[in-house]
Amino acid sequence: MYKIAVDAMGGDNAPEAIVAGIEQARDKMPDTEFLLFGQLDKVKPLVKNEERLTLIQSDEIVEMGEEPVKAIRRKKQSSLVMAAQAVKDGEAEAIFSAGNTGALLAVGIFTVGRIRGIDRPALLTVLPALDGPHDAFAMMDVGANAENRSTHLYQYGILGSFYAQEVLGYDNPRVGLLNNGAEEDKGDPIHKEAHQLLKHGASQSYLNFVGNVESRDLLQGPADVVVADGFSGNAALKATEGTALAMLRLIKHTILDGNVKTKLAGLMLKPAMKDIQSQLDYSQHGGAVVIGVKAPVVKTHGSAGPSAVANTMGQIHTMLETDLVSKTEAFVAEHKSDLSKSAE
Amino acid sequence: MERQEILDKVITLVADHFELDPASITGETNLTKDIDADSIDFVELVLEMEDEFGAEISDEDAEKLITVNNTVDYIASRAK
């Protein structure tokens, strides 16, 4: 039986959406128990069926805007910190929250703890690939770190490969390095060195490095794992999301502001537009993962509804079922000196 | 707890955290300059020390723990 610790108070729609999503997931996952941490006077009335749910009182809440490290150090009785502590103490195997991303990252690093040999855990997200062999790719770091060294990027290539292989089910996933050009000598010294390290990893058959990828090609699926430093990864992710939203809005306004013919054409295009929307909806692949820590630590977006919460539980279940963390830990332990060295 | 005992424990924690030879760490060891601890390493170390000594170290106090000796003195003063 798997056990997932849940921060029932995190997110804009908490605890309602969280409890409803967990109940949906519970009904689909007969081998999983959920530990719900939250203010029980608010959580308990929402629960329809307590089967495989354990409700645990936590007096405090880490708010969305709070400074992460201070919040987790001061609010030991918060739903987030208590859920993370349950993982640290071995009472649960994974933690989920829809709340403050920085605070979840902080409990991931400081409470759950880093995998030995991984210098800087990262945030990994799965995005749609509109072309190529698969319909989605994993990208990391999308914002856990403001600065990265080349060795971090090398380690992300390994962590991302394990994720794509075990959780997304890709055979020999293609790893690309987000850079400002396809050629090997592109980028700043960190990216040039990271390129050499990833190439070395490929020569040792640790991963399948396919070279640099550019941000304009990301959604075309040039790689199954895109390695980025936290700053560039975050900027690329937000630019991609923003552009997609702006394009959809532009199409909508052009139709709505057009003449009768345009509106009729818009009506006919509606099913196709819905299809595009569902292809771009990456919440079907679950939430963002704090990767490089000793247990699955997963975040779904703050405004997530019950089905996004349930999808994320499915993603955590796959991570537990495939034993992603142990496999990654074993590999990193075996190749520790290689993964921490700089390119010569 | 005697000062020497605290010193030994802090040295063990630091050595273990940064995978260093305990013999290379003394009371004078500067955690930021000699060991290259960045902010994440430092917070991890503070949390490990809180667990080890069962004492809370505030953020303001943590900023003053620059050398191993600073840390040992701080823990010794809190233990009194």
Side-chain angles (χ1 to χ4, degrees), chain A residues 177-222:
Chain A
L177 173 67
L178 182 68
N179 208 335
N180 63 348
E183 299 82 2
E184 199 169 310
D185 60 350
K186 286 282 182 177
D188 60 6
I190 290 173
H191 287 81
K192 282 183 198 167
E193 194 170 299
H195 187 107
Q196 294 309 317
L197 288 170
L198 288 160
K199 215 168 136 182
H200 162 77
S203 73
Q204 301 295 309
S205 305
Y206 298 159
L207 46 76
N208 175 17
F209 183 51
V210 294
N212 291 342
V213 295
E214 291 187 81
S215 58
R216 66 172 177 194
D217 299 325
L218 286 181
L219 296 188
Q220 301 306 319

mmCIF file of all heavy atoms in Angstrom, chain A residues 177-222:
data_model
loop_
_atom_site.group_PDB
_atom_site.id
_atom_site.type_symbol
_atom_site.label_atom_id
_atom_site.label_comp_id
_atom_site.label_asym_id
_atom_site.label_seq_id
_atom_site.Cartn_x
_atom_site.Cartn_y
_atom_site.Cartn_z
ATOM 1 N N LEU A 177 19.914 20.241 -24.594
ATOM 2 C CA LEU A 177 20.299 21.345 -23.694
ATOM 3 C C LEU A 177 19.742 22.644 -24.263
ATOM 4 O O LEU A 177 20.056 23.009 -25.405
ATOM 5 C CB LEU A 177 21.834 21.415 -23.603
ATOM 6 C CG LEU A 177 22.423 22.606 -22.832
ATOM 7 C CD1 LEU A 177 22.091 22.516 -21.337
ATOM 8 C CD2 LEU A 177 23.943 22.665 -23.027
ATOM 9 N N LEU A 178 18.914 23.336 -23.481
ATOM 10 C CA LEU A 178 18.362 24.622 -23.937
ATOM 11 C C LEU A 178 19.512 25.623 -24.040
ATOM 12 O O LEU A 178 20.215 25.866 -23.059
ATOM 13 C CB LEU A 178 17.291 25.125 -22.961
ATOM 14 C CG LEU A 178 16.618 26.440 -23.353
ATOM 15 C CD1 LEU A 178 15.756 26.274 -24.591
ATOM 16 C CD2 LEU A 178 15.768 26.978 -22.212
ATOM 17 N N ASN A 179 19.692 26.179 -25.245
ATOM 18 C CA ASN A 179 20.815 27.086 -25.452
ATOM 19 C C ASN A 179 20.426 28.123 -26.505
ATOM 20 O O ASN A 179 19.338 28.038 -27.088
ATOM 21 C CB ASN A 179 22.043 26.272 -25.895
ATOM 22 C CG ASN A 179 23.348 26.937 -25.493
ATOM 23 O OD1 ASN A 179 23.413 28.150 -25.306
ATOM 24 N ND2 ASN A 179 24.384 26.143 -25.353
ATOM 25 N N ASN A 180 21.305 29.083 -26.753
ATOM 26 C CA ASN A 180 20.941 30.137 -27.712
ATOM 27 C C ASN A 180 21.430 29.829 -29.133
ATOM 28 O O ASN A 180 21.666 30.718 -29.918
ATOM 29 C CB ASN A 180 21.457 31.497 -27.235
ATOM 30 C CG ASN A 180 22.971 31.533 -27.156
ATOM 31 O OD1 ASN A 180 23.613 30.480 -27.240
ATOM 32 N ND2 ASN A 180 23.543 32.705 -26.988
ATOM 33 N N GLY A 181 21.598 28.571 -29.439
ATOM 34 C CA GLY A 181 21.976 28.165 -30.786
ATOM 35 C C GLY A 181 22.233 26.675 -30.798
ATOM 36 O O GLY A 181 22.483 26.080 -29.742
ATOM 37 N N ALA A 182 22.146 26.082 -31.975
ATOM 38 C CA ALA A 182 22.270 24.628 -32.070
ATOM 39 C C ALA A 182 23.728 24.158 -32.011
ATOM 40 O O ALA A 182 24.017 23.044 -31.578
ATOM 41 C CB ALA A 182 21.630 24.142 -33.364
ATOM 42 N N GLU A 183 24.668 25.030 -32.417
ATOM 43 C CA GLU A 183 26.068 24.596 -32.499
ATOM 44 C C GLU A 183 26.668 24.365 -31.116
ATOM 45 O O GLU A 183 26.308 25.030 -30.154
ATOM 46 C CB GLU A 183 26.918 25.631 -33.254
ATOM 47 C CG GLU A 183 26.484 25.879 -34.676
ATOM 48 C CD GLU A 183 25.316 26.857 -34.785
ATOM 49 O OE1 GLU A 183 24.863 27.379 -33.752
ATOM 50 O OE2 GLU A 183 24.834 27.077 -35.918
ATOM 51 N N GLU A 184 27.621 23.466 -31.082
ATOM 52 C CA GLU A 184 28.269 23.049 -29.840
ATOM 53 C C GLU A 184 28.919 24.198 -29.066
ATOM 54 O O GLU A 184 28.957 24.200 -27.847
ATOM 55 C CB GLU A 184 29.349 22.026 -30.233
ATOM 56 C CG GLU A 184 29.817 21.154 -29.124
ATOM 57 C CD GLU A 184 30.666 20.012 -29.660
ATOM 58 O OE1 GLU A 184 30.238 19.319 -30.623
ATOM 59 O OE2 GLU A 184 31.742 19.822 -29.142
ATOM 60 N N ASP A 185 29.464 25.178 -29.800
ATOM 61 C CA ASP A 185 30.199 26.253 -29.125
ATOM 62 C C ASP A 185 29.316 27.450 -28.765
ATOM 63 O O ASP A 185 29.795 28.507 -28.416
ATOM 64 C CB ASP A 185 31.371 26.718 -30.006
ATOM 65 C CG ASP A 185 30.893 27.236 -31.355
ATOM 66 O OD1 ASP A 185 29.691 27.064 -31.673
ATOM 67 O OD2 ASP A 185 31.716 27.815 -32.095
ATOM 68 N N LYS A 186 28.004 27.269 -28.822
ATOM 69 C CA LYS A 186 27.089 28.363 -28.485
ATOM 70 C C LYS A 186 26.948 28.486 -26.961
ATOM 71 O O LYS A 186 27.114 27.523 -26.226
ATOM 72 C CB LYS A 186 25.706 28.118 -29.080
ATOM 73 C CG LYS A 186 25.653 28.328 -30.568
ATOM 74 C CD LYS A 186 25.591 29.792 -30.901
ATOM 75 C CE LYS A 186 25.496 29.964 -32.414
ATOM 76 N NZ LYS A 186 25.359 31.351 -32.802
ATOM 77 N N GLY A 187 26.578 29.674 -26.530
ATOM 78 C CA GLY A 187 26.230 29.880 -25.131
ATOM 79 C C GLY A 187 27.358 30.451 -24.292
ATOM 80 O O GLY A 187 28.480 30.654 -24.758
ATOM 81 N N ASP A 188 27.031 30.708 -23.024
ATOM 82 C CA ASP A 188 28.032 31.220 -22.084
ATOM 83 C C ASP A 188 28.903 30.050 -21.608
ATOM 84 O O ASP A 188 28.627 28.891 -21.942
ATOM 85 C CB ASP A 188 27.319 31.935 -20.921
ATOM 86 C CG ASP A 188 26.382 31.015 -20.163
ATOM 87 O OD1 ASP A 188 26.365 29.806 -20.455
ATOM 88 O OD2 ASP A 188 25.656 31.493 -19.285
ATOM 89 N N PRO A 189 29.966 30.340 -20.847
ATOM 90 C CA PRO A 189 30.866 29.252 -20.423
ATOM 91 C C PRO A 189 30.143 28.098 -19.718
ATOM 92 O O PRO A 189 30.497 26.928 -19.924
ATOM 93 C CB PRO A 189 31.834 29.949 -19.469
ATOM 94 C CG PRO A 189 31.855 31.369 -19.940
ATOM 95 C CD PRO A 189 30.476 31.662 -20.436
ATOM 96 N N ILE A 190 29.111 28.404 -18.933
ATOM 97 C CA ILE A 190 28.394 27.337 -18.207
ATOM 98 C C ILE A 190 27.717 26.383 -19.194
ATOM 99 O O ILE A 190 27.790 25.163 -19.060
ATOM 100 C CB ILE A 190 27.365 27.952 -17.222
ATOM 101 C CG1 ILE A 190 28.121 28.619 -16.078
ATOM 102 C CG2 ILE A 190 26.384 26.910 -16.700
ATOM 103 C CD1 ILE A 190 27.277 29.407 -15.131
ATOM 104 N N HIS A 191 27.068 26.955 -20.204
ATOM 105 C CA HIS A 191 26.368 26.101 -21.167
ATOM 106 C C HIS A 191 27.330 25.351 -22.086
ATOM 107 O O HIS A 191 27.062 24.212 -22.469
ATOM 108 C CB HIS A 191 25.342 26.925 -21.961
ATOM 109 C CG HIS A 191 24.158 27.291 -21.118
ATOM 110 N ND1 HIS A 191 24.172 28.352 -20.247
ATOM 111 C CD2 HIS A 191 22.946 26.688 -20.956
ATOM 112 C CE1 HIS A 191 23.020 28.408 -19.606
ATOM 113 N NE2 HIS A 191 22.252 27.412 -20.019
ATOM 114 N N LYS A 192 28.448 26.008 -22.416
ATOM 115 C CA LYS A 192 29.444 25.304 -23.238
ATOM 116 C C LYS A 192 29.989 24.101 -22.462
ATOM 117 O O LYS A 192 30.163 23.015 -23.011
ATOM 118 C CB LYS A 192 30.600 26.256 -23.577
ATOM 119 C CG LYS A 192 30.275 27.222 -24.682
ATOM 120 C CD LYS A 192 31.506 28.052 -24.988
ATOM 121 C CE LYS A 192 31.138 29.290 -25.745
ATOM 122 N NZ LYS A 192 32.199 30.267 -25.819
ATOM 123 N N GLU A 193 30.266 24.337 -21.181
ATOM 124 C CA GLU A 193 30.812 23.246 -20.361
ATOM 125 C C GLU A 193 29.751 22.160 -20.138
ATOM 126 O O GLU A 193 30.057 20.968 -20.201
ATOM 127 C CB GLU A 193 31.288 23.815 -19.020
ATOM 128 C CG GLU A 193 32.167 22.844 -18.265
ATOM 129 C CD GLU A 193 32.825 23.486 -17.056
ATOM 130 O OE1 GLU A 193 33.592 24.444 -17.229
ATOM 131 O OE2 GLU A 193 32.561 23.017 -15.942
ATOM 132 N N ALA A 194 28.505 22.596 -19.915
ATOM 133 C CA ALA A 194 27.422 21.616 -19.714
ATOM 134 C C ALA A 194 27.272 20.738 -20.961
ATOM 135 O O ALA A 194 27.043 19.527 -20.860
ATOM 136 C CB ALA A 194 26.111 22.335 -19.413
ATOM 137 N N HIS A 195 27.424 21.361 -22.132
ATOM 138 C CA HIS A 195 27.322 20.604 -23.385
ATOM 139 C C HIS A 195 28.376 19.486 -23.403
ATOM 140 O O HIS A 195 28.071 18.338 -23.741
ATOM 141 C CB HIS A 195 27.517 21.548 -24.584
ATOM 142 C CG HIS A 195 27.266 20.902 -25.908
ATOM 143 N ND1 HIS A 195 26.154 21.157 -26.660
ATOM 144 C CD2 HIS A 195 27.967 19.962 -26.590
ATOM 145 C CE1 HIS A 195 26.192 20.424 -27.760
ATOM 146 N NE2 HIS A 195 27.292 19.684 -27.738
ATOM 147 N N GLN A 196 29.603 19.838 -23.013
ATOM 148 C CA GLN A 196 30.682 18.846 -23.017
ATOM 149 C C GLN A 196 30.414 17.737 -21.997
ATOM 150 O O GLN A 196 30.676 16.559 -22.254
ATOM 151 C CB GLN A 196 32.041 19.521 -22.723
ATOM 152 C CG GLN A 196 32.483 20.495 -23.818
ATOM 153 C CD GLN A 196 32.445 19.875 -25.213
ATOM 154 O OE1 GLN A 196 32.847 18.733 -25.423
ATOM 155 N NE2 GLN A 196 31.925 20.619 -26.188
ATOM 156 N N LEU A 197 29.883 18.123 -20.830
ATOM 157 C CA LEU A 197 29.591 17.117 -19.793
ATOM 158 C C LEU A 197 28.495 16.155 -20.271
ATOM 159 O O LEU A 197 28.583 14.941 -20.079
ATOM 160 C CB LEU A 197 29.162 17.804 -18.491
ATOM 161 C CG LEU A 197 30.276 18.521 -17.721
ATOM 162 C CD1 LEU A 197 29.688 19.370 -16.593
ATOM 163 C CD2 LEU A 197 31.258 17.510 -17.140
ATOM 164 N N LEU A 198 27.463 16.721 -20.890
ATOM 165 C CA LEU A 198 26.366 15.876 -21.381
ATOM 166 C C LEU A 198 26.854 14.952 -22.497
ATOM 167 O O LEU A 198 26.454 13.791 -22.588
ATOM 168 C CB LEU A 198 25.194 16.746 -21.854
ATOM 169 C CG LEU A 198 24.419 17.434 -20.713
ATOM 170 C CD1 LEU A 198 23.627 18.630 -21.226
ATOM 171 C CD2 LEU A 198 23.471 16.442 -20.033
ATOM 172 N N LYS A 199 27.766 15.486 -23.312
ATOM 173 C CA LYS A 199 28.345 14.689 -24.393
ATOM 174 C C LYS A 199 29.162 13.533 -23.800
ATOM 175 O O LYS A 199 29.100 12.388 -24.277
ATOM 176 C CB LYS A 199 29.277 15.603 -25.210
ATOM 177 C CG LYS A 199 29.299 15.317 -26.679
ATOM 178 C CD LYS A 199 29.998 16.458 -27.377
ATOM 179 C CE LYS A 199 30.960 15.924 -28.399
ATOM 180 N NZ LYS A 199 31.679 17.006 -29.068
ATOM 181 N N HIS A 200 29.892 13.861 -22.745
ATOM 182 C CA HIS A 200 30.668 12.828 -22.053
ATOM 183 C C HIS A 200 29.707 11.759 -21.493
ATOM 184 O O HIS A 200 29.954 10.560 -21.635
ATOM 185 C CB HIS A 200 31.477 13.474 -20.919
ATOM 186 C CG HIS A 200 31.966 12.507 -19.896
ATOM 187 N ND1 HIS A 200 33.053 11.676 -20.111
ATOM 188 C CD2 HIS A 200 31.491 12.194 -18.658
ATOM 189 C CE1 HIS A 200 33.229 10.911 -19.051
ATOM 190 N NE2 HIS A 200 32.300 11.200 -18.159
ATOM 191 N N GLY A 201 28.592 12.218 -20.887
ATOM 192 C CA GLY A 201 27.595 11.288 -20.345
ATOM 193 C C GLY A 201 27.074 10.352 -21.430
ATOM 194 O O GLY A 201 26.866 9.160 -21.209
ATOM 195 N N ALA A 202 26.886 10.922 -22.644
ATOM 196 C CA ALA A 202 26.393 10.110 -23.760
ATOM 197 C C ALA A 202 27.458 9.079 -24.166
ATOM 198 O O ALA A 202 27.132 7.924 -24.468
ATOM 199 C CB ALA A 202 26.042 11.006 -24.938
ATOM 200 N N SER A 203 28.750 9.501 -24.121
ATOM 201 C CA SER A 203 29.821 8.568 -24.528
ATOM 202 C C SER A 203 29.930 7.403 -23.537
ATOM 203 O O SER A 203 30.396 6.330 -23.890
ATOM 204 C CB SER A 203 31.156 9.310 -24.632
ATOM 205 O OG SER A 203 31.624 9.613 -23.332
ATOM 206 N N GLN A 204 29.492 7.651 -22.292
ATOM 207 C CA GLN A 204 29.506 6.583 -21.283
ATOM 208 C C GLN A 204 28.184 5.803 -21.264
ATOM 209 O O GLN A 204 27.972 4.973 -20.374
ATOM 210 C CB GLN A 204 29.716 7.190 -19.884
ATOM 211 C CG GLN A 204 31.000 7.994 -19.724
ATOM 212 C CD GLN A 204 32.234 7.124 -19.856
ATOM 213 O OE1 GLN A 204 32.345 6.098 -19.201
ATOM 214 N NE2 GLN A 204 33.151 7.510 -20.733
ATOM 215 N N SER A 205 27.278 6.164 -22.183
ATOM 216 C CA SER A 205 25.933 5.566 -22.263
ATOM 217 C C SER A 205 25.077 5.802 -21.017
ATOM 218 O O SER A 205 24.217 5.005 -20.675
ATOM 219 C CB SER A 205 26.008 4.053 -22.523
ATOM 220 O OG SER A 205 26.754 3.805 -23.655
ATOM 221 N N TYR A 206 25.339 6.937 -20.332
ATOM 222 C CA TYR A 206 24.487 7.281 -19.180
ATOM 223 C C TYR A 206 23.174 7.886 -19.667
ATOM 224 O O TYR A 206 22.163 7.829 -18.997
ATOM 225 C CB TYR A 206 25.158 8.325 -18.278
ATOM 226 C CG TYR A 206 26.463 7.916 -17.649
ATOM 227 C CD1 TYR A 206 27.350 8.880 -17.185
ATOM 228 C CD2 TYR A 206 26.797 6.576 -17.487
ATOM 229 C CE1 TYR A 206 28.548 8.526 -16.596
ATOM 230 C CE2 TYR A 206 27.995 6.223 -16.901
ATOM 231 C CZ TYR A 206 28.869 7.196 -16.461
ATOM 232 O OH TYR A 206 30.052 6.852 -15.883
ATOM 233 N N LEU A 207 23.245 8.571 -20.796
ATOM 234 C CA LEU A 207 22.059 9.236 -21.341
ATOM 235 C C LEU A 207 22.215 9.377 -22.847
ATOM 236 O O LEU A 207 23.299 9.136 -23.390
ATOM 237 C CB LEU A 207 21.830 10.603 -20.670
ATOM 238 C CG LEU A 207 23.000 11.576 -20.481
ATOM 239 C CD1 LEU A 207 23.375 12.249 -21.773
ATOM 240 C CD2 LEU A 207 22.630 12.629 -19.467
ATOM 241 N N ASN A 208 21.132 9.799 -23.496
ATOM 242 C CA ASN A 208 21.120 9.925 -24.946
ATOM 243 C C ASN A 208 21.061 11.415 -25.309
ATOM 244 O O ASN A 208 19.991 11.967 -25.521
ATOM 245 C CB ASN A 208 19.899 9.153 -25.480
ATOM 246 C CG ASN A 208 19.708 9.316 -26.968
ATOM 247 O OD1 ASN A 208 20.611 9.730 -27.684
ATOM 248 N ND2 ASN A 208 18.507 8.987 -27.449
ATOM 249 N N PHE A 209 22.252 12.061 -25.321
ATOM 250 C CA PHE A 209 22.306 13.507 -25.563
ATOM 251 C C PHE A 209 22.221 13.796 -27.058
ATOM 252 O O PHE A 209 22.989 13.244 -27.840
ATOM 253 C CB PHE A 209 23.615 14.049 -24.972
ATOM 254 C CG PHE A 209 23.766 15.542 -25.101
ATOM 255 C CD1 PHE A 209 22.757 16.406 -24.685
ATOM 256 C CD2 PHE A 209 24.938 16.097 -25.610
ATOM 257 C CE1 PHE A 209 22.899 17.780 -24.787
ATOM 258 C CE2 PHE A 209 25.086 17.473 -25.714
ATOM 259 C CZ PHE A 209 24.067 18.318 -25.301
ATOM 260 N N VAL A 210 21.281 14.687 -27.429
ATOM 261 C CA VAL A 210 21.103 15.001 -28.860
ATOM 262 C C VAL A 210 21.573 16.415 -29.198
ATOM 263 O O VAL A 210 21.350 16.905 -30.301
ATOM 264 C CB VAL A 210 19.632 14.795 -29.312
ATOM 265 C CG1 VAL A 210 19.248 13.327 -29.233
ATOM 266 C CG2 VAL A 210 18.657 15.654 -28.503
ATOM 267 N N GLY A 211 22.219 17.095 -28.245
ATOM 268 C CA GLY A 211 22.773 18.418 -28.529
ATOM 269 C C GLY A 211 21.905 19.566 -28.021
ATOM 270 O O GLY A 211 20.960 19.353 -27.250
ATOM 271 N N ASN A 212 22.233 20.771 -28.490
ATOM 272 C CA ASN A 212 21.499 21.954 -28.039
ATOM 273 C C ASN A 212 20.122 22.031 -28.689
ATOM 274 O O ASN A 212 19.953 21.593 -29.837
ATOM 275 C CB ASN A 212 22.265 23.225 -28.424
ATOM 276 C CG ASN A 212 23.555 23.366 -27.633
ATOM 277 O OD1 ASN A 212 23.720 22.732 -26.594
ATOM 278 N ND2 ASN A 212 24.458 24.193 -28.124
ATOM 279 N N VAL A 213 19.181 22.598 -27.952
ATOM 280 C CA VAL A 213 17.873 22.897 -28.552
ATOM 281 C C VAL A 213 17.583 24.377 -28.308
ATOM 282 O O VAL A 213 18.047 24.955 -27.329
ATOM 283 C CB VAL A 213 16.719 22.021 -27.979
ATOM 284 C CG1 VAL A 213 16.919 20.562 -28.318
ATOM 285 C CG2 VAL A 213 16.555 22.192 -26.486
ATOM 286 N N GLU A 214 16.831 24.968 -29.224
ATOM 287 C CA GLU A 214 16.493 26.381 -29.090
ATOM 288 C C GLU A 214 15.052 26.520 -28.621
ATOM 289 O O GLU A 214 14.202 25.676 -28.916
ATOM 290 C CB GLU A 214 16.693 27.079 -30.429
ATOM 291 C CG GLU A 214 18.150 27.164 -30.807
ATOM 292 C CD GLU A 214 18.350 28.014 -32.043
ATOM 293 O OE1 GLU A 214 18.363 29.246 -31.921
ATOM 294 O OE2 GLU A 214 18.468 27.439 -33.135
ATOM 295 N N SER A 215 14.784 27.630 -27.915
ATOM 296 C CA SER A 215 13.469 27.791 -27.280
ATOM 297 C C SER A 215 12.334 27.801 -28.315
ATOM 298 O O SER A 215 11.245 27.337 -28.032
ATOM 299 C CB SER A 215 13.435 29.037 -26.414
ATOM 300 O OG SER A 215 13.735 30.158 -27.185
ATOM 301 N N ARG A 216 12.613 28.320 -29.529
ATOM 302 C CA ARG A 216 11.535 28.384 -30.530
ATOM 303 C C ARG A 216 11.086 26.983 -30.985
ATOM 304 O O ARG A 216 10.006 26.809 -31.514
ATOM 305 C CB ARG A 216 11.965 29.215 -31.739
ATOM 306 C CG ARG A 216 13.088 28.568 -32.510
ATOM 307 C CD ARG A 216 13.398 29.257 -33.802
ATOM 308 N NE ARG A 216 14.525 28.596 -34.428
ATOM 309 C CZ ARG A 216 15.205 29.088 -35.425
ATOM 310 N NH1 ARG A 216 14.881 30.265 -35.911
ATOM 311 N NH2 ARG A 216 16.205 28.421 -35.939
ATOM 312 N N ASP A 217 11.957 25.988 -30.809
ATOM 313 C CA ASP A 217 11.624 24.634 -31.263
ATOM 314 C C ASP A 217 11.015 23.751 -30.175
ATOM 315 O O ASP A 217 10.594 22.634 -30.461
ATOM 316 C CB ASP A 217 12.894 23.926 -31.781
ATOM 317 C CG ASP A 217 13.501 24.655 -32.963
ATOM 318 O OD1 ASP A 217 12.717 25.210 -33.759
ATOM 319 O OD2 ASP A 217 14.733 24.686 -33.058
ATOM 320 N N LEU A 218 11.025 24.255 -28.926
ATOM 321 C CA LEU A 218 10.662 23.382 -27.797
ATOM 322 C C LEU A 218 9.395 22.562 -28.015
ATOM 323 O O LEU A 218 9.380 21.354 -27.829
ATOM 324 C CB LEU A 218 10.503 24.210 -26.514
ATOM 325 C CG LEU A 218 11.787 24.714 -25.868
ATOM 326 C CD1 LEU A 218 11.460 25.489 -24.605
ATOM 327 C CD2 LEU A 218 12.721 23.557 -25.571
ATOM 328 N N LEU A 219 8.325 23.253 -28.427
ATOM 329 C CA LEU A 219 7.039 22.551 -28.550
ATOM 330 C C LEU A 219 6.977 21.610 -29.752
ATOM 331 O O LEU A 219 6.025 20.846 -29.900
ATOM 332 C CB LEU A 219 5.870 23.539 -28.590
ATOM 333 C CG LEU A 219 5.646 24.393 -27.345
ATOM 334 C CD1 LEU A 219 4.347 25.175 -27.464
ATOM 335 C CD2 LEU A 219 5.610 23.569 -26.069
ATOM 336 N N GLN A 220 7.991 21.685 -30.602
ATOM 337 C CA GLN A 220 8.027 20.758 -31.749
ATOM 338 C C GLN A 220 8.639 19.415 -31.344
ATOM 339 O O GLN A 220 8.810 18.535 -32.186
ATOM 340 C CB GLN A 220 8.852 21.356 -32.899
ATOM 341 C CG GLN A 220 8.342 22.696 -33.424
ATOM 342 C CD GLN A 220 6.885 22.647 -33.820
ATOM 343 O OE1 GLN A 220 6.432 21.681 -34.407
ATOM 344 N NE2 GLN A 220 6.139 23.682 -33.455
ATOM 345 N N GLY A 221 9.018 19.301 -30.092
ATOM 346 C CA GLY A 221 9.512 18.020 -29.587
ATOM 347 C C GLY A 221 10.896 17.615 -30.074
ATOM 348 O O GLY A 221 11.102 16.453 -30.419
ATOM 349 N N PRO A 222 11.876 18.553 -30.088
ATOM 350 C CA PRO A 222 13.220 18.150 -30.520
ATOM 351 C C PRO A 222 13.918 17.238 -29.512
ATOM 352 O O PRO A 222 14.904 16.584 -29.845
ATOM 353 C CB PRO A 222 13.972 19.486 -30.629
ATOM 354 C CG PRO A 222 13.276 20.389 -29.667
ATOM 355 C CD PRO A 222 11.835 19.973 -29.682
#
